[in-house]
Amino acid sequence: MLDLQLIRNHPERVREAIRHKGLGDGALVDDVLERDAHRRKVLTDLQDAQARSNRISKDIGALMREGKKDEAQERIAETGRLKERIKELEDEAREAEEALDRLMLDVPNVPHESVPVGQTPEHNAVVEEDGDKPDFNFEPLPHWELLERHELADFERGAKVTGAGFPFYMGRGAKLQRALVHFFLDQAADAGYHEVQAPLMVNADSARGTGQLPDKEDLMYEVPRDDLYLIPTAEVPVSNLYRDEILDPDTLPIKLCAYTPCFRREAGSYGKDVRGLNRLHQFDKVELLQFVTPESSYAALEEMRSDAERLLRLLDLPYRRLLMCTGDMGFTQAKKYDLEVWSGGQERWLEVSSISNFEAFQARRMQIRYRPDGGKTDFVHTLNGSGLALPRVVAALLENNQQADGSIRLPEVLHQYTGFDQIG
RNA sequence: GGAGGGGUGGCAGAGUGGUCGAAUGCACUGGUCUUGAAAACCAGCGUGCCCUCGCGGGCACCGGGGGUUCGAAUCCCUCCCCCUCCGCCA
C-alpha cells in the first residue's frame, strides 16, 4: 500500500508510476483523491456528532450523581435523533473507508528513480555478466536427460503420486538438494542473516500482507477446510513475522534467512519452459529478508544483491544481473534485480534469484513500524531476495559441469556438503 | 477432540455500567540533589485518524467482530488466541 499522503501531495508522481508500470492511465489517482476527500468529510461530520453525544452522556452522568433524575430523563430524550444520525454516519464512514481502501489496494508502488522506464523485458537493463560460459567439445545434454541418466530425480513417479511438477529427488540428487540448502544457509549465516524456520501454511491476513491476496490468488494452493494457504515463498510467512508490531530501532536492521519448500500452482504456464526442473509446483528455496530503516534500504538492496551473487560465484556458475524495468518489476516493488544463471545444456538464462526493495509498501500493509530515537513511529522498509532457488541452480550445475564421459563434476565448495565430488 | 480458566498500556497488575485512555508498581525520558554515580524526590511517558497555518481541539481503540444502553474495559452474542487437566498423537 502506498502512502496516502504521497498521493495527496504528489498525485502526478503516482500517475506517472502507474503509467510506467503499464497499469493504466493514472485516473485511479483521481478516484483516490475524490474518495479521500469524501471520507474525510463524512468522518468530520461523524466525529462532530459523536462529540455532541459524548457531551450529553457526560452531563447525564453528572445529573444522576446529583440525584436530578428528572433533568437526566429530559436529556436522555434528546439523544434519540442524534443516535440515529450517528448510526447513519457510521455506515457512511465505513463505506467511505472501505471504498478508499479498495482503491488503495490497486495503487502500485512507485519505482525508484534509478529504474529504467519500459514495458517489456527488452527494457530490462543487463547490468553485469560474470563468469565464463562453458565451452563443450561435445554435445551437452539438458539437465532432464542428465537427471534421468544418473537417476537423480523421478518425474514420472512424482506425477503418479502427486502430479506433474512434483518430482522425487533420488539418491545423489536428493543429497545434492540437501547440500545446497545447507550451503546456502551457512553462507547466509556468515553474511549476518539469522536463520528461521517458518510455517509452510499461512492465513489470509498474512497472504494479504505480502500482496498475494487479493489479486494473485491463483498463485497459491489453498487448504479451504482450514482457511489456509500453502506458501509460494518464505517471503510470505517471514515478512509477516513482525506484522502489527512496532520494532525497537536498536534491533534494525533485522536480517533473516529461511529455507522452505515453495508451492506454486503456476496456472496457465505451459510450453517448453516447463521441462525438467525449469518450472515446478514444489521447489526448495532459501530466502533472505531484511527489515531496515528507510534511509538504509537501498544500501541494503545492494548488499543483499551481492550476498546472492556471491553464492553463484562460489558455485562457479556464469550469471548475469538484470535491473528490471518499470513494466516488468511487479506491482509491489520499488526496485528489483533478477539474477539469471547460464544453463549450458539448454543454452539459455534461467532466473534463480529476484531481489527487491519494497520500501514501505509491504510494511504499510502489514503495519510494521519502528520508532526512530525520540521521533514518531515510521514504517520500516522491507527487502527480500532468493539466496537461492534450488531447481534451476541444480539444472545449471548439472548442465555446465557435465563431462564428455557423461559424469558431472561438482564445484569444490559443495564437496564437504555432499560427501562426494562428482556424479557418475 | 472433551472440561475448566484467562486475554487491560513496553512489562507486571487494578478496575465488573457514568468525573476511565484507564489506578499502582517496574521499565523508559527529562529535571532537582551529587565531585561523579546510585538512591531519593519532581515531571513526562500508548496507537491511529480527523479539524487547524499554528497554538490547540476532537474521535476511536482495554484480543477481533456484532449487540444492549443516554453512557461499556465492565453486561449479552460470536469468533480468535493463550493457560491447566483429560484424550489422541510425530
Side-chain angles (χ1 to χ4, degrees):
Chain A
M1 187 142 42
L2 213 56
D3 185 2
L4 188 53
Q5 292 290 344
L6 178 69
I7 303 178
R8 274 188 212 151
N9 299 334
H10 303 283
E12 71 291 343
R13 280 187 56 194
V14 180
R15 276 190 210 101
E16 187 183 69
I18 292 173
R19 280 197 305 274
H20 286 174
K21 283 198 167 180
L23 298 170
D25 61 4
L28 177 61
V29 169
D30 299 297
D31 289 350
V32 168
L33 291 173
E34 205 172 294
R35 286 285 170 188
D36 178 44
H38 176 246
R39 177 193 64 117
R40 287 194 282 170
K41 166 83 174 75
V42 173
L43 216 48
T44 305
D45 291 349
L46 171 63
Q47 291 181 354
D48 281 351
Q50 285 172 324
R52 254 179 289 149
S53 169
N54 287 344
R55 187 69 250 154
I56 292 171
S57 289
K58 225 165 223 176
D59 291 348
I60 291 169
L63 290 169
M64 299 288 261
R65 252 172 285 111
E66 291 164 22
K68 299 177 182 168
K69 286 237 166 66
D70 293 346
E71 281 182 54
Q73 276 306 323
E74 279 174 37
R75 306 236 50 189
I76 289 173
E78 288 175 30
T79 61
R81 167 89 190 87
L82 186 56
K83 280 192 72 178
E84 270 176 49
R85 182 71 186 134
I86 287 176
K87 265 209 169 83
E88 285 169 20
L89 285 167
E90 275 174 347
D91 288 344
E92 264 186 71
R94 186 165 22 77
E95 281 166 30
E97 201 85 47
E98 284 169 3
L100 179 62
D101 284 349
R102 271 196 302 278
L103 283 179
M104 286 296 286
L105 288 176
D106 290 336
V107 182
N109 204 353
V110 176
H112 188 256
E113 58 185 10
S114 62
V115 171
V117 175
Q119 297 305 320
T120 61
E122 292 87 72
H123 295 101
N124 297 332
V126 179
V127 184
E128 193 183 315
E129 230 177 283
D130 191 282
D132 298 323
K133 295 179 184 174
D135 193 11
F136 299 107
N137 52 13
F138 57 94
E139 188 62 31
L141 299 173
H143 69 272
W144 50 89
E145 289 187 25
L146 294 164
L147 287 167
E148 193 179 351
R149 172 190 291 213
H150 298 290
E151 295 182 6
L152 299 174
D154 192 331
F155 286 83
E156 282 187 23
R157 291 196 174 98
K160 174 180 71 179
V161 171
T162 303
F166 291 91
F168 281 82
Y169 297 94
M170 313 291 284
R172 291 195 162 184
K175 285 200 168 99
L176 178 58
Q177 294 270 124
R178 182 155 55 84
L180 282 167
V181 168
H182 200 157
F183 167 65
F184 291 158
L185 285 173
D186 281 355
Q187 287 296 316
D190 286 349
Y193 293 84
H194 193 65
E195 181 173 345
V196 298
Q197 227 178 69
L200 304 183
M201 293 189 240
V202 295
N203 58 32
D205 282 343
S206 295
R208 244 189 303 280
T210 36
Q212 270 67 35
L213 291 181
D215 37 310
K216 286 202 272 181
E217 209 160 1
D218 290 347
L219 175 74
M220 291 186 293
Y221 287 98
E222 280 185 65
V223 185
R225 182 168 175 179
D226 297 287
D227 224 5
L228 296 171
Y229 299 85
L230 265 63
I231 61 169
T233 159
E235 171 195 343
V236 179
V238 182
S239 296
N240 278 280
L241 235 191
Y242 301 112
R243 174 151 53 85
D244 298 324
E245 294 188 29
I246 298 173
L247 302 171
D248 185 330
D250 296 344
T251 64
L252 301 178
I254 296 174
K255 299 170 66 175
L256 304 174
C257 62
Y259 153 67
T260 68
C262 301
F263 305 92
R264 297 190 182 176
R265 295 186 61 240
E266 301 289 357
S269 59
Y270 310 103
K272 69 186 256 215
D273 275 21
V274 305
R275 298 257 344 233
L277 300 172
N278 287 345
R279 176 168 261 117
L280 300 171
H281 287 304
Q282 178 185 328
F283 64 94
D284 289 326
K285 179 158 63 68
V286 171
E287 186 76 358
L288 309 174
L289 294 97
Q290 293 201 32
F291 301 83
V292 305
T293 57
E295 57 280 4
S296 58
S297 71
Y298 280 93
L301 179 69
E302 296 308 312
E303 174 193 298
M304 189 176 267
R305 191 213 78 218
S306 75
D307 290 334
E309 287 179 17
R310 187 180 324 112
L311 301 171
L312 295 171
R313 280 201 296 274
L314 287 169
L315 291 172
D316 206 21
L317 290 172
Y319 72 92
R320 66 177 186 179
R321 171 166 94 241
L322 305 179
L323 174 56
M324 308 307 281
C325 72
T326 52
D328 208 28
M329 68 192 292
F331 183 82
T332 58
Q333 290 89 354
K335 186 171 181 176
K336 170 171 137 177
Y337 292 110
D338 271 6
L339 302 181
E340 299 182 335
V341 293
W342 178 253
S343 83
Q346 300 175 77
E347 301 211 309
R348 54 184 287 231
W349 295 99
L350 300 175
E351 179 189 337
V352 292
S353 180
S354 172
I355 302 132
S356 307
N357 185 357
F358 300 90
E359 297 190 357
F361 197 84
Q362 287 185 328
R364 198 170 286 110
R365 240 191 221 208
M366 292 187 282
Q367 291 290 307
I368 304 177
R369 291 169 289 175
Y370 78 110
R371 193 187 310 282
D373 285 317
K376 231 173 99 57
T377 59
D378 193 10
F379 293 103
V380 300
H381 281 194
T382 60
L383 303 96
N384 64 53
S386 348
L388 301 161
L390 286 242
R392 294 173 188 162
V393 169
V394 170
L397 280 174
L398 298 180
E399 293 180 11
N400 294 353
N401 295 310
Q402 59 184 301
Q403 310 297 310
D405 65 359
S407 68
I408 297 152
R409 296 219 179 115
L410 295 178
E412 203 172 327
V413 284
L414 288 181
H415 296 177
Q416 58 166 310
Y417 290 100
T418 53
F420 48 87
D421 56 12
Q422 68 170 56
I423 293 170

